[in-house]
Amino acid sequence: AYSFHDEYIQEIIRRDGMIGIPIYPYMLSNYANLKEAVKAGSLRDVVRTIRYIAKISGSAKNICIGSDFGAYIPPLNDIDCLCQIEILRKLLLDEFSNESIVEDILAKNVIEFIKNN
């Protein structure tokens, strides 16, 4: 989702596709380089991206998250392993004020997508 134009996002939603948001601020923000992203990047970059896509699509039903903390994605300032995913969960709950939406984003959306496709 880090390089999609709004029209691409809308087309993916129209086709009932899934948009995966990486837990990787360098891909989600305009940091000058990886060093700056590692220094300043946080889960707030992830939440901001999710909020934006939900706004464009009118819901959060086609949004999921992803990570590869074991290799590709470096740790963030506020989370360094998926065992701390509760931090992202709390930020999403603060943003959306709806437990069901948060559970959909964190797991249910992608589970349903895989089951149906």
Side-chain angles (χ1 to χ4, degrees):
Y2 60 90
S3 64
F4 292 168
H5 296 285
D6 291 359
E7 296 80 20
Y8 297 161
I9 293 169
Q10 292 164 339
E11 184 64 19
I12 291 168
I13 300 302
R14 189 185 72 72
R15 294 179 184 216
D16 203 28
M18 189 63 49
I19 298 174
I21 308 302
I23 302 176
Y24 192 31
Y26 183 59
M27 293 181 156
L28 302 176
S29 296
N30 291 323
Y31 295 107
N33 55 50
L34 181 57
K35 184 178 177 181
E36 284 298 314
V38 169
K39 179 180 172 185
S42 74
L43 290 173
R44 296 207 181 277
D45 297 304
V46 176
V47 172
R48 184 187 64 251
T49 301
I50 291 171
R51 177 182 60 236
Y52 182 75
I53 292 173
K55 178 182 173 185
I56 289 174
S57 66
S59 83
K61 284 293 183 189
N62 298 79
I63 302 170
C64 62
I65 61 160
S67 176
D68 186 7
F69 277 118
Y72 179 65
I73 297 175
L76 286 72
N77 291 324
D78 45 4
I79 182 174
D80 59 13
C81 75
L82 286 178
C83 66
Q84 299 169 321
I85 199 70
E86 184 63 27
I87 298 168
L88 176 57
R89 186 183 173 288
K90 182 182 178 329
L91 289 171
L92 288 169
L93 193 53
D94 290 347
E95 179 65 37
F96 290 100
S97 301
N98 184 313
E99 184 75 33
S100 181
I101 290 173
V102 172
E103 291 301 316
D104 287 349
I105 293 168
L106 291 177
K108 290 181 182 176
N109 288 344
V110 73
I111 290 169
E112 285 301 311
F113 182 80
I114 290 169
K115 282 177 21 181
N116 295 328
N117 293 286

